[in-house]
Protein backbone atom coordinates (compact mmCIF):
# COMPACT_ATOMS: atom_id res chain seq x y z
CA UNK A 1 0.00 0.00 0.00
CA UNK A 2 1.37 3.44 -0.95
CA UNK A 3 1.54 6.57 1.07
CA UNK A 4 -1.33 8.10 -0.87
CA UNK A 5 -3.58 5.21 0.17
CA UNK A 6 -2.72 5.40 3.91
CA UNK A 7 -3.04 9.15 3.96
CA UNK A 8 0.31 9.75 5.62
CA UNK A 9 3.12 11.86 4.08
CA UNK A 10 0.85 13.20 1.35
CA UNK A 11 1.58 16.86 2.23
CA UNK A 12 3.90 18.54 4.67
CA UNK A 13 2.42 19.88 7.81
CA UNK A 14 2.26 23.56 8.40
CA UNK A 15 5.28 24.91 10.20
CA UNK A 16 7.64 22.12 9.27
CA UNK A 17 9.67 24.32 6.82
CA UNK A 18 9.42 21.82 4.01
CA UNK A 19 8.60 22.86 0.41
CA UNK A 20 6.89 20.80 -2.23
CA UNK A 21 9.06 18.72 -4.47
CA UNK A 22 10.20 20.60 -7.60
CA UNK A 23 9.95 19.00 -10.98
CA UNK A 24 13.46 18.11 -12.22
CA UNK A 25 14.51 19.61 -15.54
CA UNK A 26 16.50 17.80 -18.20
CA UNK A 27 20.26 18.34 -17.97
CA UNK A 28 20.32 18.97 -14.18
CA UNK A 29 21.70 16.73 -11.46
CA UNK A 30 19.02 15.18 -9.24
CA UNK A 31 20.52 13.94 -5.99
CA UNK A 32 18.91 11.23 -3.83
CA UNK A 33 16.58 12.41 -1.10
CA UNK A 34 17.92 12.79 2.43
CA UNK A 35 16.23 12.85 5.79
CA UNK A 36 15.57 16.57 5.55
CA UNK A 37 14.21 16.41 1.98
CA UNK A 38 11.08 14.61 0.89
CA UNK A 39 11.35 11.63 -1.38
CA UNK A 40 10.58 11.63 -5.05
CA UNK A 41 7.06 11.92 -6.26
CA UNK A 42 5.29 8.81 -7.42
CA UNK A 43 5.94 7.96 -11.05
CA UNK A 44 9.47 9.40 -11.21
CA UNK A 45 12.80 7.63 -11.69
CA UNK A 46 14.47 7.10 -8.31
CA UNK A 47 17.90 7.10 -9.98
CA UNK A 48 19.59 10.52 -10.40
CA UNK A 49 19.95 11.83 -13.97
CA UNK A 50 23.23 12.97 -15.45
CA UNK A 51 24.07 15.71 -17.88
CA UNK A 52 24.79 13.27 -20.69
CA UNK A 53 21.69 11.09 -20.19
CA UNK A 54 18.69 13.17 -19.08
CA UNK A 55 15.97 11.30 -17.27
CA UNK A 56 12.36 11.07 -18.39
CA UNK A 57 9.98 13.90 -17.78
CA UNK A 58 8.03 13.39 -14.52
CA UNK A 59 4.30 13.09 -14.80
CA UNK A 60 1.86 15.46 -13.21
CA UNK A 61 1.37 15.34 -9.48
CA UNK A 62 -1.50 13.06 -8.56
CA UNK A 63 -2.49 15.44 -5.79
CA UNK A 64 -1.87 19.18 -5.52
CA UNK A 65 0.81 20.13 -3.07
CA UNK A 66 0.11 22.29 -0.10
CA UNK A 67 1.11 25.94 -0.15
CA UNK A 68 4.65 26.35 1.26
CA UNK A 69 5.45 28.57 4.19
CA UNK A 70 5.99 32.10 2.92
CA UNK A 71 8.62 32.64 5.63
CA UNK A 72 10.87 29.99 4.12
CA UNK A 73 13.28 31.50 1.49
CA UNK A 74 13.34 29.73 -1.91
CA UNK A 75 16.25 27.43 -2.43
CA UNK A 76 18.49 28.32 -5.42
CA UNK A 77 18.24 25.99 -8.37
CA UNK A 78 21.46 24.04 -9.03
CA UNK A 79 23.27 24.91 -12.27
CA UNK A 80 25.67 22.90 -14.33
CA UNK A 81 29.37 23.81 -14.24
CA UNK A 82 30.64 25.52 -17.46
CA UNK A 83 32.58 23.30 -19.78
CA UNK A 84 36.19 24.55 -20.12
CA UNK A 85 37.32 25.54 -23.65
CA UNK A 86 39.95 23.34 -25.25
CA UNK A 87 43.45 24.76 -25.43
CA UNK A 88 44.88 25.67 -28.88
CA UNK A 89 47.90 23.71 -29.87
CA UNK A 90 49.02 26.19 -32.57
CA UNK A 91 50.55 29.57 -31.59
CA UNK A 92 48.64 32.76 -32.35
CA UNK A 93 49.88 34.40 -35.58
CA UNK A 94 51.02 38.00 -35.05
CA UNK A 95 49.05 40.71 -36.82
CA UNK A 96 50.47 41.81 -40.17
CA UNK A 97 51.79 45.35 -40.43
CA UNK A 98 50.57 47.37 -43.38
CA UNK A 99 47.97 46.46 -45.98
CA UNK A 100 48.00 43.03 -47.55
CA UNK A 101 47.67 44.64 -51.00
CA UNK A 102 49.99 47.68 -51.18
CA UNK A 103 48.91 48.51 -54.72
CA UNK A 104 45.35 49.08 -53.54
CA UNK A 105 46.36 52.21 -51.63
CA UNK A 106 48.10 53.64 -54.68
CA UNK A 107 45.10 52.69 -56.78
CA UNK A 108 42.79 54.79 -54.61
CA UNK A 109 45.18 57.75 -54.59
CA UNK A 110 45.43 57.90 -58.40
CA UNK A 111 42.02 56.50 -59.31
CA UNK A 112 41.08 59.44 -61.54
CA UNK A 113 44.32 59.10 -63.49
CA UNK A 114 43.82 55.37 -63.94
CA UNK A 115 40.18 55.70 -64.99
CA UNK A 116 40.93 58.28 -67.69
CA UNK A 117 44.11 56.68 -69.02
CA UNK A 118 44.01 55.25 -72.51
CA UNK A 119 47.05 53.04 -72.05
CA UNK A 120 49.52 52.04 -69.27
CA UNK A 121 52.08 54.53 -70.62
CA UNK A 122 49.84 57.43 -69.63
CA UNK A 123 49.56 56.06 -66.10
CA UNK A 124 53.34 55.65 -65.95
CA UNK A 125 53.77 59.27 -67.02
CA UNK A 126 51.33 60.45 -64.36
CA UNK A 127 52.99 58.41 -61.61
CA UNK A 128 56.40 59.71 -62.63
CA UNK A 129 55.03 63.27 -62.51
CA UNK A 130 53.92 62.67 -58.91
CA UNK A 131 57.41 61.56 -57.92
CA UNK A 132 57.01 57.77 -58.20
CA UNK A 133 60.33 56.28 -59.32
CA UNK A 134 61.58 52.74 -59.84
CA UNK A 135 62.75 52.66 -56.23
CA UNK A 136 59.26 53.64 -55.08
CA UNK A 137 57.74 50.96 -57.29
CA UNK A 138 59.92 48.36 -55.55
CA UNK A 139 58.02 49.06 -52.32
CA UNK A 140 54.85 48.08 -54.17
CA UNK A 141 56.44 44.76 -55.22
CA UNK A 142 57.18 45.85 -58.79
CA UNK A 143 60.46 46.09 -60.62
CA UNK A 144 59.76 49.51 -62.19
CA UNK A 145 57.11 52.17 -62.75
CA UNK A 146 55.98 50.62 -66.04
CA UNK A 147 55.02 47.27 -64.52
CA UNK A 148 53.24 49.10 -61.70
CA UNK A 149 51.33 51.15 -64.26
CA UNK A 150 50.32 48.00 -66.12
CA UNK A 151 48.81 46.51 -62.96
CA UNK A 152 46.94 49.73 -62.17
CA UNK A 153 45.63 49.87 -65.74
CA UNK A 154 44.44 46.27 -65.50
CA UNK A 155 42.78 46.58 -62.10
CA UNK A 156 41.03 49.95 -62.37
CA UNK A 157 38.00 49.97 -64.69
CA UNK A 158 37.90 52.65 -67.35
CA UNK A 159 35.59 55.60 -66.89
CA UNK A 160 32.55 55.54 -69.10
CA UNK A 161 33.07 57.88 -72.02
CA UNK A 162 31.55 58.14 -75.46
CA UNK A 163 33.53 56.32 -78.14
CA UNK A 164 35.85 58.67 -80.00
CA UNK A 165 34.89 59.51 -83.52
CA UNK A 166 37.52 58.67 -86.10
CA UNK A 167 37.92 61.57 -88.51
CA UNK A 168 37.97 60.93 -92.21
CA UNK A 169 41.34 60.93 -94.01
CA UNK A 170 40.39 63.98 -96.06
CA UNK A 171 40.01 66.52 -93.23
CA UNK A 172 43.19 65.25 -91.56
CA UNK A 173 45.23 65.91 -94.68
CA UNK A 174 43.67 69.32 -95.10
CA UNK A 175 44.43 70.14 -91.45
CA UNK A 176 48.07 69.18 -91.84
CA UNK A 177 48.29 71.20 -95.02
CA UNK A 178 46.79 74.23 -93.31
CA UNK A 179 49.30 73.95 -90.47
CA UNK A 180 52.18 73.70 -92.92
CA UNK A 181 50.99 76.82 -94.71
CA UNK A 182 50.48 78.53 -91.36
CA UNK A 183 54.11 77.96 -90.41
CA UNK A 184 55.21 79.43 -93.73
CA UNK A 185 53.08 82.52 -93.20
CA UNK A 186 55.40 84.55 -90.88
CA UNK A 187 58.36 84.30 -93.24
CA UNK A 188 56.24 85.11 -96.27
CA UNK A 189 54.63 88.15 -94.62
CA UNK A 190 57.99 89.40 -93.38
CA UNK A 191 59.55 89.05 -96.80
CA UNK A 192 56.61 90.88 -98.36
CA UNK A 193 56.92 93.66 -95.78
CA UNK A 194 60.64 94.11 -96.41
CA UNK A 195 60.03 94.23 -100.15
CA UNK A 196 57.20 96.73 -99.71
CA UNK A 197 59.27 99.01 -97.50
CA UNK A 198 62.14 98.91 -99.96
CA UNK A 199 59.81 99.67 -102.86
CA UNK A 200 58.23 102.56 -100.91
CA UNK A 201 61.68 104.03 -100.30
CA UNK A 202 62.53 103.90 -103.97
CA UNK A 203 59.23 105.46 -105.03
CA UNK A 204 59.25 109.16 -105.96
CA UNK A 205 55.54 109.92 -105.60
CA UNK A 206 55.32 113.25 -103.76
CA UNK A 207 52.88 114.09 -101.00
CA UNK A 208 51.70 117.72 -100.49
CA UNK A 209 54.07 119.57 -98.23
CA UNK A 210 51.32 121.04 -96.08
CA UNK A 211 50.42 117.54 -94.77
CA UNK A 212 53.83 116.51 -93.42
CA UNK A 213 57.17 118.15 -92.87
CA UNK A 214 59.73 115.95 -94.62
CA UNK A 215 60.03 113.56 -97.50
CA UNK A 216 56.88 111.74 -98.50
CA UNK A 217 58.60 108.37 -98.78
CA UNK A 218 59.29 108.31 -95.05
CA UNK A 219 55.60 108.38 -94.17
CA UNK A 220 54.81 105.60 -96.63
CA UNK A 221 57.63 103.45 -95.34
CA UNK A 222 56.49 103.86 -91.75
CA UNK A 223 52.92 102.97 -92.62
CA UNK A 224 53.99 99.90 -94.56
CA UNK A 225 56.41 98.85 -91.84
CA UNK A 226 53.81 99.17 -89.07
CA UNK A 227 51.24 97.25 -91.07
CA UNK A 228 53.69 94.50 -91.93
CA UNK A 229 54.85 94.25 -88.31
CA UNK A 230 51.29 93.77 -87.13
CA UNK A 231 50.65 91.07 -89.73
CA UNK A 232 53.86 89.25 -88.82
CA UNK A 233 52.95 89.35 -85.12
CA UNK A 234 49.51 87.95 -85.91
CA UNK A 235 51.00 85.14 -88.02
CA UNK A 236 53.45 84.25 -85.25
CA UNK A 237 50.65 84.15 -82.70
CA UNK A 238 48.71 81.74 -84.86
CA UNK A 239 51.78 79.51 -85.21
CA UNK A 240 52.39 79.22 -81.47
CA UNK A 241 48.72 78.58 -80.71
CA UNK A 242 48.35 75.66 -83.13
CA UNK A 243 50.48 72.74 -84.16
CA UNK A 244 53.62 71.35 -82.56
CA UNK A 245 54.66 74.74 -81.12
CA UNK A 246 51.50 75.11 -79.03
CA UNK A 247 52.17 75.27 -75.29
CA UNK A 248 50.55 72.67 -73.06
CA UNK A 249 49.58 75.21 -70.38
CA UNK A 250 48.86 78.94 -70.66
CA UNK A 251 52.06 80.95 -70.53
CA UNK A 252 52.57 83.91 -68.25
CA UNK A 253 52.11 87.39 -69.63
CA UNK A 254 55.74 88.15 -68.83
CA UNK A 255 56.84 85.57 -71.43
CA UNK A 256 55.27 87.63 -74.22
CA UNK A 257 56.89 90.78 -72.83
CA UNK A 258 60.37 89.22 -72.83
CA UNK A 259 59.86 87.91 -76.36
CA UNK A 260 58.86 91.37 -77.60
CA UNK A 261 61.96 92.88 -75.99
CA UNK A 262 64.23 90.31 -77.64
CA UNK A 263 62.58 90.86 -81.01
CA UNK A 264 62.91 94.63 -80.67
CA UNK A 265 66.57 94.40 -79.70
CA UNK A 266 67.21 92.10 -82.65
CA UNK A 267 65.72 94.73 -84.96
CA UNK A 268 67.41 97.89 -83.69
CA UNK A 269 69.50 96.97 -80.64
CA UNK A 270 72.83 97.13 -82.45
CA UNK A 271 72.05 100.58 -83.82
CA UNK A 272 70.95 101.79 -80.36
CA UNK A 273 74.13 100.50 -78.73
CA UNK A 274 76.33 102.30 -81.26
CA UNK A 275 74.41 105.52 -80.67
CA UNK A 276 74.83 105.26 -76.89
CA UNK A 277 78.56 104.60 -77.21
CA UNK A 278 78.85 107.64 -79.47
CA UNK A 279 77.10 109.88 -76.95
CA UNK A 280 73.58 109.70 -78.39
CA UNK A 281 71.00 109.06 -79.41
CA UNK A 282 69.45 112.33 -80.55
CA UNK A 283 66.00 110.95 -81.33
CA UNK A 284 64.28 114.04 -82.71
CA UNK A 285 66.89 114.31 -85.43
CA UNK A 286 67.87 110.71 -86.09
CA UNK A 287 65.96 107.85 -87.68
CA UNK A 288 66.44 104.31 -86.27
CA UNK A 289 67.91 101.64 -88.51
CA UNK A 290 66.34 98.19 -88.45
CA UNK A 291 68.09 94.88 -89.10
CA UNK A 292 65.64 93.47 -91.60
CA UNK A 293 67.88 90.53 -92.44
CA UNK A 294 67.74 89.27 -88.85
CA UNK A 295 63.96 89.59 -88.76
CA UNK A 296 63.59 87.73 -92.05
CA UNK A 297 65.86 84.88 -90.91
CA UNK A 298 64.02 84.43 -87.62
CA UNK A 299 60.56 84.40 -89.18
CA UNK A 300 61.65 81.89 -91.80
CA UNK A 301 63.05 79.67 -89.03
CA UNK A 302 59.52 78.95 -87.75
CA UNK A 303 59.16 76.15 -90.30
CA UNK A 304 62.20 74.10 -89.20
CA UNK A 305 61.35 74.82 -85.55
CA UNK A 306 57.89 73.31 -85.95
CA UNK A 307 59.28 70.31 -87.81
CA UNK A 308 62.00 69.65 -85.21
CA UNK A 309 59.50 69.94 -82.34
CA UNK A 310 57.16 67.45 -84.03
CA UNK A 311 60.03 65.09 -84.83
CA UNK A 312 61.25 65.09 -81.23
CA UNK A 313 57.77 64.63 -79.71
CA UNK A 314 56.83 61.75 -82.02
CA UNK A 315 60.03 59.79 -81.45
CA UNK A 316 60.03 60.40 -77.73
CA UNK A 317 56.48 59.09 -77.51
CA UNK A 318 57.47 56.01 -79.49
CA UNK A 319 60.45 55.44 -77.24
CA UNK A 320 58.17 55.73 -74.21
CA UNK A 321 55.98 52.92 -75.54
CA UNK A 322 59.00 50.65 -76.10
CA UNK A 323 60.82 51.34 -72.81
CA UNK A 324 60.52 49.14 -69.73
CA UNK A 325 62.12 51.45 -67.15
CA UNK A 326 62.66 55.16 -66.64
CA UNK A 327 66.42 54.92 -66.89
CA UNK A 328 66.29 53.30 -70.32
CA UNK A 329 63.74 55.85 -71.49
CA UNK A 330 65.86 58.79 -70.31
CA UNK A 331 68.99 57.42 -71.96
CA UNK A 332 67.07 57.03 -75.22
CA UNK A 333 65.47 60.49 -75.22
CA UNK A 334 68.65 62.51 -74.57
CA UNK A 335 70.13 61.80 -78.03
CA UNK A 336 66.80 62.76 -79.60
CA UNK A 337 66.79 66.10 -77.81
CA UNK A 338 70.37 66.85 -78.78
CA UNK A 339 69.61 65.92 -82.38
CA UNK A 340 66.55 68.19 -82.50
CA UNK A 341 68.48 71.13 -81.02
CA UNK A 342 71.36 70.55 -83.43
CA UNK A 343 69.08 70.41 -86.47
CA UNK A 344 67.35 73.63 -85.46
CA UNK A 345 70.67 75.40 -84.88
CA UNK A 346 71.95 74.24 -88.26
CA UNK A 347 68.78 75.52 -89.94
CA UNK A 348 69.16 78.87 -88.18
CA UNK A 349 72.78 79.25 -89.27
CA UNK A 350 71.91 78.36 -92.85
CA UNK A 351 68.97 80.76 -93.02
CA UNK A 352 70.84 83.61 -91.33
CA UNK A 353 73.86 83.20 -93.56
CA UNK A 354 71.73 83.01 -96.71
CA UNK A 355 69.67 86.08 -95.86
CA UNK A 356 72.78 88.00 -94.81
CA UNK A 357 74.51 87.18 -98.07
CA UNK A 358 71.49 88.19 -100.16
CA UNK A 359 70.66 91.32 -98.18
CA UNK A 360 74.23 92.49 -97.61
CA UNK A 361 74.25 92.31 -93.79
CA UNK A 362 77.01 92.82 -91.28
CA UNK A 363 78.85 89.50 -91.56
CA UNK A 364 79.38 86.80 -88.94
CA UNK A 365 78.25 88.91 -85.96
CA UNK A 366 74.58 89.32 -86.97
CA UNK A 367 74.47 85.69 -88.12
CA UNK A 368 75.67 84.48 -84.72
CA UNK A 369 73.28 86.79 -82.87
CA UNK A 370 70.28 85.68 -84.92
CA UNK A 371 71.19 82.00 -84.50
CA UNK A 372 71.60 82.36 -80.72
CA UNK A 373 68.27 84.13 -80.40
CA UNK A 374 66.52 81.52 -82.55
CA UNK A 375 67.99 78.66 -80.51
CA UNK A 376 66.90 80.33 -77.26
CA UNK A 377 63.33 80.80 -78.46
CA UNK A 378 63.18 77.25 -79.83
CA UNK A 379 64.29 75.66 -76.55
CA UNK A 380 61.94 77.87 -74.56
CA UNK A 381 59.02 76.89 -76.76
CA UNK A 382 59.97 73.22 -76.58
CA UNK A 383 59.88 73.35 -72.79
CA UNK A 384 56.54 75.15 -72.82
CA UNK A 385 55.19 72.54 -75.25
CA UNK A 386 56.03 69.72 -72.83
CA UNK A 387 54.70 71.34 -69.66
CA UNK A 388 57.50 73.52 -68.23
CA UNK A 389 56.27 77.12 -68.55
CA UNK A 390 58.40 78.47 -65.71
CA UNK A 391 61.66 77.43 -67.36
CA UNK A 392 60.38 78.63 -70.73
CA UNK A 393 59.89 82.10 -69.22
CA UNK A 394 63.13 82.15 -67.24
CA UNK A 395 65.38 81.71 -70.29
CA UNK A 396 64.20 84.76 -72.28
CA UNK A 397 64.03 86.77 -69.05
CA UNK A 398 67.72 86.08 -68.40
CA UNK A 399 68.61 87.19 -71.94
CA UNK A 400 66.60 90.40 -71.49
CA UNK A 401 68.40 91.07 -68.21
CA UNK A 402 71.83 90.69 -69.86
CA UNK A 403 70.96 92.97 -72.77
CA UNK A 404 69.44 95.58 -70.49
CA UNK A 405 72.49 95.38 -68.21
CA UNK A 406 74.81 96.03 -71.17
CA UNK A 407 72.88 99.16 -72.16
CA UNK A 408 72.65 100.32 -68.55
CA UNK A 409 76.39 99.91 -67.99
CA UNK A 410 77.16 102.06 -71.02
CA UNK A 411 74.77 104.76 -69.82
CA UNK A 412 76.09 104.58 -66.25
CA UNK A 413 79.65 105.03 -67.51
CA UNK A 414 78.78 108.64 -68.34
CA UNK A 415 78.46 109.44 -64.66
CA UNK A 416 81.57 110.68 -62.81
CA UNK A 417 83.58 107.83 -61.31
CA UNK A 418 81.62 105.06 -63.08
CA UNK A 419 83.58 104.96 -66.31
CA UNK A 420 84.92 101.41 -65.65
CA UNK A 421 81.38 99.99 -65.90
CA UNK A 422 81.19 100.58 -69.64
CA UNK A 423 84.66 99.34 -70.56
CA UNK A 424 83.75 95.62 -71.03
CA UNK A 425 80.94 96.50 -73.41
CA UNK A 426 83.11 99.02 -75.29
CA UNK A 427 85.87 96.42 -75.68
CA UNK A 428 83.42 93.82 -77.00
CA UNK A 429 81.91 96.24 -79.49
CA UNK A 430 85.36 97.42 -80.64
CA UNK A 431 86.75 93.94 -81.28
CA UNK A 432 83.65 91.88 -82.16
CA UNK A 433 81.04 94.42 -83.18
CA UNK A 434 77.74 95.40 -81.52
CA UNK A 435 76.20 92.04 -82.40
CA UNK A 436 78.44 90.37 -79.82
CA UNK A 437 76.23 91.65 -76.98
CA UNK A 438 72.98 89.93 -78.10
CA UNK A 439 74.93 86.86 -79.22
CA UNK A 440 76.40 86.34 -75.73
CA UNK A 441 73.21 87.44 -73.96
CA UNK A 442 71.15 84.81 -75.84
CA UNK A 443 73.75 82.03 -76.06
CA UNK A 444 74.27 81.71 -72.29
CA UNK A 445 70.54 81.31 -71.41
CA UNK A 446 70.11 78.98 -74.38
CA UNK A 447 72.87 76.75 -73.04
CA UNK A 448 71.23 76.78 -69.61
CA UNK A 449 67.87 75.81 -71.09
CA UNK A 450 69.50 72.96 -73.00
CA UNK A 451 71.03 71.57 -69.82
CA UNK A 452 67.71 71.88 -68.04
CA UNK A 453 65.88 70.22 -70.92
CA UNK A 454 68.27 67.25 -70.81
CA UNK A 455 66.94 66.57 -67.31
CA UNK A 456 63.33 67.71 -67.65
CA UNK A 457 62.37 66.36 -71.07
CA UNK A 458 63.76 62.90 -70.32
CA UNK A 459 60.94 62.17 -67.86
CA UNK A 460 57.89 60.18 -68.86
CA UNK A 461 55.49 62.88 -67.62
CA UNK A 462 56.88 65.38 -70.14
CA UNK A 463 55.50 63.26 -73.00
CA UNK A 464 52.03 62.50 -71.64
CA UNK A 465 49.12 63.43 -73.91
CA UNK A 466 48.15 67.08 -73.58
CA UNK A 467 44.85 67.70 -71.77
CA UNK A 468 41.83 68.65 -73.81
CA UNK A 469 41.38 71.87 -71.86
CA UNK A 470 44.18 73.59 -70.05
CA UNK A 471 43.59 73.85 -66.29
CA UNK A 472 43.19 77.16 -64.57
CA UNK A 473 46.30 76.72 -62.45
CA UNK A 474 49.63 75.46 -63.75
CA UNK A 475 50.77 72.39 -61.81
CA UNK A 476 54.04 72.47 -59.97
CA UNK A 477 57.00 70.99 -61.78
CA UNK A 478 58.09 67.79 -60.12
CA UNK A 479 61.70 66.78 -59.89
CA UNK A 480 62.85 64.35 -62.52
CA UNK A 481 65.05 61.32 -61.79
Amino acid sequence: MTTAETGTGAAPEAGTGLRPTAVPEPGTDVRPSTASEPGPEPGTDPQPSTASEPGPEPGPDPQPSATPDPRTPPRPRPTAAPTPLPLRDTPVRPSRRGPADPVKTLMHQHRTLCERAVDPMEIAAGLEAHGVTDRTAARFRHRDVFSLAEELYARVPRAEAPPPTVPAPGPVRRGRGVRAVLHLLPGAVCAATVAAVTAAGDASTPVPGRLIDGPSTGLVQKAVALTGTGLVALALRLCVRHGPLRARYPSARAAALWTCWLAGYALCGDWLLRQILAGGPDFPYVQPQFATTTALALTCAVVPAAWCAHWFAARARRRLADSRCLTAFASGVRPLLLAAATMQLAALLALAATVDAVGGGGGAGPVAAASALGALLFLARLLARHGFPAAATAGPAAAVALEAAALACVLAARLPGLAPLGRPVEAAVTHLGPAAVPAVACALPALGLLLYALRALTGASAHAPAPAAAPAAVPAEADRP
Side-chain angles (χ1 to χ4, degrees), residues 37-131:
E37 298 179 355
E41 293 294 331
T44 60
D45 191 2
Q47 296 297 331
S49 59
T50 60
S52 60
E53 297 179 0
E57 292 289 337
D61 293 339
Q63 295 181 359
S65 301
T67 304
D69 187 3
R71 294 174 299 178
T72 304
R75 185 176 181 178
R77 183 175 299 176
T79 58
T83 305
L85 297 176
L87 297 178
R88 300 183 61 177
D89 297 335
T90 59
V92 179
R93 182 178 300 176
S95 59
R96 179 179 298 179
R97 296 182 179 179
D101 186 4
V103 182
K104 191 174 183 180
T105 304
L106 193 67
M107 185 172 59
H108 285 290
Q109 293 177 355
H110 305 280
R111 189 171 189 85
T112 304
L113 172 65
C114 298
E115 288 178 348
R116 298 179 180 179
V118 297
D119 54 9
M121 296 300 103
E122 187 174 349
I123 300 179
L127 294 177
E128 197 267 346
H130 286 82

Side-chain angles (χ1 to χ4, degrees), residues 267-327:
L267 285 175
C268 58
D270 295 346
W271 169 85
L272 180 61
L273 182 58
R274 286 195 299 264
Q275 291 292 323
I276 293 176
L277 290 175
D282 298 331
F283 278 114
Y285 309 101
V286 67
Q287 296 294 330
Q289 299 177 2
F290 299 96
T292 56
T293 56
T294 301
L296 186 58
L298 290 175
T299 53
C300 291
V302 175
V303 177
W307 185 86
C308 290
H310 175 73
W311 180 86
F312 170 73
R315 277 156 179 77
R317 183 70 179 175
R318 190 180 307 168
R319 185 62 59 91
L320 178 62
D322 297 338
S323 300
R324 299 305 306 169
C325 65
L326 295 178
T327 304

Side-chain angles (χ1 to χ4, degrees), residues 291-294 296-297 349-368 370:
T292 56
T293 56
T294 301
L296 186 58
L349 289 172
L351 287 172
T354 302
V355 173
D356 184 78
V358 173
V367 171

